[in-house]
């Protein structure tokens, strides 16, 4: 059964897994959880573990099959759409979609070496939930099946006619990059291949859980400074981040400089012996240069 193959990943990571029909009973460290697998995921899991066509590169996050290639993409602009879905087609019937990752991509990541880092995140997430929620079944905490996975946005290219597995990744990457530019130009949606961002040393932050409970601040922040700081923290471009952090420093420098100037003037005005007097003006008669005094090069002929 494919669920047994699926559970091997968790077993190799130190978990104890029991399968009860479509329910997985999992012991993660000292936490006992259970989850139920729906029909859609059962079908995807059976197909994924029986097929031999999928090849996943965990370093550049690309899935290649006999029919399609799928790259992880990252959003660059600050606009937010919960589930963006875009489709591109050509005259030959090729299809390129931009949306959440396919189940095959999710399962490929789950079965790869890249999942080890995410599993640490999953364990911390379960630990945080177990502190707030009570167990609901046989002393176990219920979690969603999707909580086990990493589900990023991807660009998936399905060519027609079919290409060889060696060529589909090269052609697919070119088509995806072209569509991402078209999307930025026509829709104002700015996306980039995850591996290109990583290669250019842009910021690519992994999700983290807060170790301490979040509290409502009992302070009021300056709106301009907050805007500069948010741009600096969220930008994928180091130059823009540097400039925004500089604006924060510049803002505070000017504020302190104005305060020092104000206090200096205030101190002078408040002195008992201070008298406001106008400086004497020096009146000078205008000097007219006659033609005789000009250099030869400036004389009129």
């Amino acid at each position: 059964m494919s669920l047994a193959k699926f559970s091997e990943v968790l077993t190799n990571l130190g978990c104890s897994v029991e399968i009860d029909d479509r329910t997985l009973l999992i012991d993660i460290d000292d936490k006992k959880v259970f989850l139920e697998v729906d029909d859609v995921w059962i079908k995807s899991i059976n197909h994924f573990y029986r097929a031999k066509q999928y090849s996943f590169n965990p370093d550049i996050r690309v899935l290649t099959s006999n029919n399609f290639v799928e790259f992880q993409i990252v959003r660059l602009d600050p606009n937010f759409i919960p589930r963006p879905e875009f489709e591109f087609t050509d005259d030959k019937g090729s299809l390129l979609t931009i949306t959440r990752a396919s189940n095959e991509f999710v399962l490929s990541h789950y079965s790869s070496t890249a999942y080890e880092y995410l599993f640490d995140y999953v364990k911390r997430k379960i630990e945080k939930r177990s502190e707030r929620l009570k167990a609901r079944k046989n002393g176990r905490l219920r979690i969603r099946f999707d909580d086990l996975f990493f589900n990023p946005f991807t660009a998936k290219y399905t060519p027609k006619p079919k290409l060889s597995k060696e060529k589909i990744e090269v052609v697919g990457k070119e088509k995806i990059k072209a569509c991402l530019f078209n999307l930025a130009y026509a829709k104002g949606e700015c996306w980039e291949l995850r591996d290109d961002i990583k290669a250019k040393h842009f910021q690519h932050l992994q999700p983290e859980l807060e170790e301490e409970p979040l509290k409502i601040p009992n302070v009021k922040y300056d709106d301009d400074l907050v805007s500069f700081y948010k741009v600096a923290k969220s930008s994928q471009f180091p130059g823009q981040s540097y400039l925004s952090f500089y604006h924060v420093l510049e803002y505070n420098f000017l504020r302190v400089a104005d305060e020092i100037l104000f206090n200096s003037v205030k101190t002078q005005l408040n002195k008992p012996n201070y008298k406001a007097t106008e400086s004497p003006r020096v009146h000078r008669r205008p000097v007219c240069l006659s033609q005789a005094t000009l250099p030869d090069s400036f004389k009129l002929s």
Side-chain angles (χ1 to χ4, degrees):
M1 187 176 181
S2 295
L3 273 183
K5 189 73 175 177
F6 175 87
S7 64
E8 288 181 4
V9 174
L10 297 174
T11 302
N12 293 335
L13 291 172
C15 301
S16 175
V17 184
E18 296 182 16
I19 302 175
D20 183 9
D21 191 18
R22 295 189 176 187
T23 301
L24 298 182
L25 307 176
I26 309 173
D27 293 348
I28 303 177
D29 295 335
D30 59 341
K31 303 296 185 299
K32 297 181 180 295
V33 300
F34 78 98
L35 53 86
E36 297 177 350
V37 189
D38 60 26
D39 293 339
V40 175
W41 274 112
I42 286 290
K43 183 178 179 180
S44 296
I45 291 172
N46 290 337
H47 171 73
F48 177 79
Y49 284 104
R50 290 172 184 172
K52 303 298 181 181
Q53 60 174 304
Y54 298 115
S55 175
F56 184 72
N57 188 326
D59 294 326
I60 62 176
R61 304 288 173 86
V62 56
L63 172 64
T64 307
S65 77
N66 296 335
N67 302 318
F68 67 87
V69 62
E70 187 171 2
F71 285 82
Q72 181 183 343
I73 59 176
V74 179
R75 192 177 191 119
L76 300 180
D77 62 299
N79 296 329
F80 177 78
I81 298 179
R83 288 186 62 85
E85 293 185 1
F86 300 99
E87 287 189 0
F88 298 83
T89 58
D90 61 17
D91 296 336
K92 297 180 181 179
S94 300
L95 177 65
L96 193 149
T97 58
I98 295 177
T99 184
R100 284 290 183 183
S102 65
N103 288 354
E104 291 82 9
F105 187 97
V106 170
L107 290 171
S108 296
H109 180 274
Y110 168 80
S111 303
S112 71
T113 55
Y115 182 72
E116 185 174 353
Y117 172 83
L118 180 68
F119 187 64
D120 290 336
Y121 171 80
V122 172
K123 289 195 295 184
R124 286 182 292 163
K125 186 176 181 180
I126 292 174
E127 184 175 357
K128 298 291 286 187
R129 288 190 60 189
S130 65
E131 295 175 358
R132 300 192 301 265
L133 303 177
K134 296 181 179 180
R136 300 179 181 177
K137 181 178 179 180
N138 298 329
R140 293 182 177 272
L141 175 69
R142 182 190 183 98
I143 63 174
R144 297 185 306 115
F145 187 65
D146 291 351
D147 288 342
L148 291 177
F149 301 127
F150 175 58
N151 189 16
F153 291 102
T154 61
K156 180 179 178 181
Y157 176 65
T158 306
K160 285 188 178 181
K162 291 183 179 180
L163 301 175
S164 65
K165 200 170 184 180
E166 293 74 20
K167 192 175 181 180
I168 192 173
E169 182 176 336
V170 177
V171 175
K173 186 174 184 178
E174 294 177 353
K175 298 294 185 182
I176 289 172
K177 289 174 74 70
C179 288
L180 292 181
F181 172 74
N182 181 274
L183 195 62
Y185 178 78
K187 301 290 186 181
E189 295 270 341
C190 297
W191 298 80
E192 186 58 275
L193 295 177
R194 179 222 180 242
D195 187 58
D196 284 357
I197 292 179
K198 180 180 178 181
K200 295 174 184 176
H201 305 288
F202 288 170
Q203 299 176 21
H204 181 73
L205 304 179
Q206 297 286 352
E208 294 183 0
L209 287 178
E210 295 290 340
E211 299 296 338
E212 299 180 358
L214 300 177
K215 297 181 179 180
I216 299 176
N218 191 25
V219 294
K220 182 179 179 180
Y221 298 103
D222 185 279
D223 290 340
D224 293 330
L225 288 179
V226 169
S227 298
F228 290 142
Y229 185 80
K230 286 182 178 179
V231 171
K233 293 292 289 186
S234 63
S235 176
Q236 298 289 341
F237 302 93
Q240 187 180 36
S241 294
Y242 174 85
L243 184 61
S244 295
F245 279 128
Y246 174 81
H247 285 328
V248 175
L249 296 175
E250 182 183 39
Y251 186 96
N252 284 288
F253 171 80
L254 293 177
R255 182 182 61 81
V256 173
D258 289 343
E259 184 177 347
I260 293 175
L261 177 61
F262 172 79
N263 289 332
S264 298
V265 174
K266 179 182 177 181
T267 301
Q268 292 296 326
L269 294 176
N270 289 336
K271 286 183 178 181
N273 59 349
Y274 174 77
K275 294 182 180 180
T277 58
E278 183 180 4
S279 300
R281 295 182 179 180
V282 178
H283 298 281
R284 297 180 180 179
R285 296 179 62 183
V287 178
C288 296
L289 296 176
S290 65
Q291 187 173 351
T293 59
L294 292 175
D296 294 340
S297 59
F298 284 84
K299 292 182 180 180
L300 299 176
S301 56

